[in-house]
Amino acid sequence: MVQNYHRDAAGHLRWRTAEKEGGPGLPPSSRAVVSPYDTSARYARHGHIISWKGFSAHLTETCAPDGPNVITDVATTAATTHDSQVLPGIHTRLSRRGLLPAEHLVDAGYTSLPRLEQATRVHQVTVSGPLRSNPTRQHRRDEGFARDDFHIDYDRQQVTCPQGQVSQGWHGPYPTSSPTAAPLIVARFTKSQCQPCPARTQCTTSRESTRTVGFPPRELRDLQLRVRTEQQTPEWKTRYAVRSGVEGTVNEFAHGYGMRRCRYRGQGKAHIQHVLTAIAVNIERLSGLPPTEDPTPRRPTAFQNYLDQREIPRPKSWRTLGS
């Protein structure tokens, strides 16, 4: 591929390799062309097992216990697009169609803190899904003082550590490198506070013997604590278990309708294939419903009304059901 070459200082074509000592490096995944047949396809990998070249499809379906599960939205994105970035568009389209749910059950890829707040504020939709746990080293290892062990006073812009020391710096909120991550406020403790502390080894391994604590703004922090607490309750776990049903829908798309093989080139045409597949799934599900005992009569057409108003006889087959 052309993008895998570059010209060196002498003007000679060279094969791009991993970036070393200021070299050109490889293009990022969001721009790297991975297929000569479709230049808009991208490479993506989830974990160490799942990888593919192409696009991502995001399916939304109903899960009411008193009716069939109907697909209400299909989104097709580049394979490198993070799941949480798709959520606002899904809610906007559902709102336009009058199909917004009161609660949207999603997997962990969609539950970034800003997206949860945005869905509630803009669309009054509660997004339920596993929220990422505290990422600090102390919390992961379950040893020492994690972020939740510090008391945060937003009014005074102070943080108090488990040993009673009060932070001497409050900065931010700073935007993070990820567009889906919450901005962070950073509180700092000084060297004179941390170095003589008898519990310093439980708090930090910094060579400077200081501790910094990062946390989101108040409204996002309150939401974060509330969601994490709720996720530990049996009621939430029972309610969230319903989301597993969408995995069967994904399997139906992939193995029953061959959605993992695009019949067209380009993201736009791949999206059309995904939408048509969703329509076929809905038709199949609705066609399996038992017929209603008393079907609703069809309304007369304008031409039928014209004949009736002038008392002009018309064939019986023209009459609406029940008339």
Side-chain angles (χ1 to χ4, degrees):
M1 308 299 291
V2 175
Q3 66 173 352
N4 289 330
Y5 292 87
H6 72 99
R7 291 189 180 275
D8 60 14
H12 299 131
L13 281 176
R14 302 293 183 187
W15 181 261
R16 289 180 181 269
T17 57
E19 186 173 354
K20 294 181 180 180
E21 299 180 0
L26 299 173
S29 295
S30 59
R31 289 189 295 162
V33 177
V34 295
S35 170
Y37 306 103
D38 191 342
T39 57
S40 62
R42 296 293 180 264
Y43 172 80
R45 180 177 61 191
H46 282 185
H48 301 286
I49 301 175
I50 303 175
S51 63
W52 74 96
K53 299 175 183 178
F55 311 100
S56 293
H58 306 263
L59 307 176
T60 305
E61 70 175 353
T62 61
C63 56
D66 55 349
N69 294 345
V70 179
I71 298 166
T72 57
D73 186 81
V74 178
T76 304
T77 66
T80 53
T81 301
H82 194 274
D83 291 346
S84 61
Q85 293 181 267
V86 185
L87 202 57
I90 293 174
H91 288 160
T92 298
R93 290 188 296 274
L94 291 176
S95 176
R96 188 165 58 241
R97 301 170 190 149
L99 297 174
L100 272 175
E103 184 178 26
H104 194 171
L105 305 177
V106 298
D107 66 23
Y110 298 85
T111 56
S112 70
L113 197 55
R115 297 303 186 223
L116 267 63
E117 186 275 334
Q118 182 183 15
T120 302
R121 173 173 46 84
V122 178
H123 298 290
Q124 293 75 53
V125 173
T126 299
V127 177
S128 296
L131 191 62
R132 183 185 177 191
S133 62
N134 192 326
T136 58
R137 172 184 57 83
Q138 294 87 346
H139 180 83
R140 294 196 309 270
R141 298 181 180 180
D142 194 21
E143 58 184 22
F145 301 134
R147 182 177 63 189
D148 294 341
D149 297 320
F150 290 73
H151 174 70
I152 303 172
D153 189 335
Y154 285 93
D155 295 325
R156 297 183 179 181
Q157 295 190 347
Q158 293 177 342
V159 175
T160 304
C161 80
Q163 296 296 307
Q165 293 292 333
V166 179
S167 63
Q168 300 300 308
W170 178 289
H171 307 281
Y174 296 114
T176 54
S177 57
S178 171
T180 61
L184 285 181
I185 298 172
V186 179
R188 302 182 184 278
F189 294 86
T190 64
K191 188 175 182 179
S192 61
Q193 291 176 300
C194 294
Q195 193 168 23
C197 179
R200 178 173 59 84
T201 56
Q202 296 178 265
C203 188
T204 179
T205 58
S206 171
R207 295 180 179 180
E208 297 182 358
S209 301
T210 60
R211 176 71 185 264
T212 61
V213 181
F215 46 90
R218 175 182 293 182
E219 61 277 7
L220 295 182
R221 176 65 173 167
D222 291 343
L223 175 63
Q224 185 182 61
L225 293 176
R226 185 172 70 253
V227 170
R228 286 178 177 170
T229 300
E230 184 183 7
Q231 288 176 359
Q232 305 305 314
T233 63
E235 294 79 11
W236 185 91
K237 294 179 180 179
T238 300
R239 192 171 71 251
Y240 182 72
V242 178
R243 193 214 66 87
S244 62
V246 79
E247 301 299 339
T249 299
V250 173
N251 183 73
E252 183 179 2
F253 267 70
H255 297 96
Y257 294 90
M259 193 176 66
R260 287 179 177 164
R261 291 288 182 268
C262 286
R263 294 166 175 79
Y264 313 97
R265 298 179 184 178
Q267 181 174 325
K269 292 182 179 180
H271 177 62
I272 293 176
Q273 175 181 329
H274 295 163
V275 171
L276 293 176
T277 303
I279 293 173
V281 171
N282 282 344
I283 291 175
E284 183 177 22
R285 291 179 177 181
L286 294 175
S287 65
L289 294 177
T292 57
E293 296 181 0
D294 299 318
T296 303
R298 294 178 299 172
R299 296 179 60 183
T301 65
F303 183 59
Q304 289 172 338
N305 285 332
Y306 175 84
L307 296 178
D308 292 339
Q309 290 170 3
R310 285 158 179 76
E311 298 181 354
I312 300 176
R314 52 188 173 92
K316 186 176 181 180
S317 59
W318 284 19
R319 296 191 178 276
T320 57
L321 186 61
S323 62

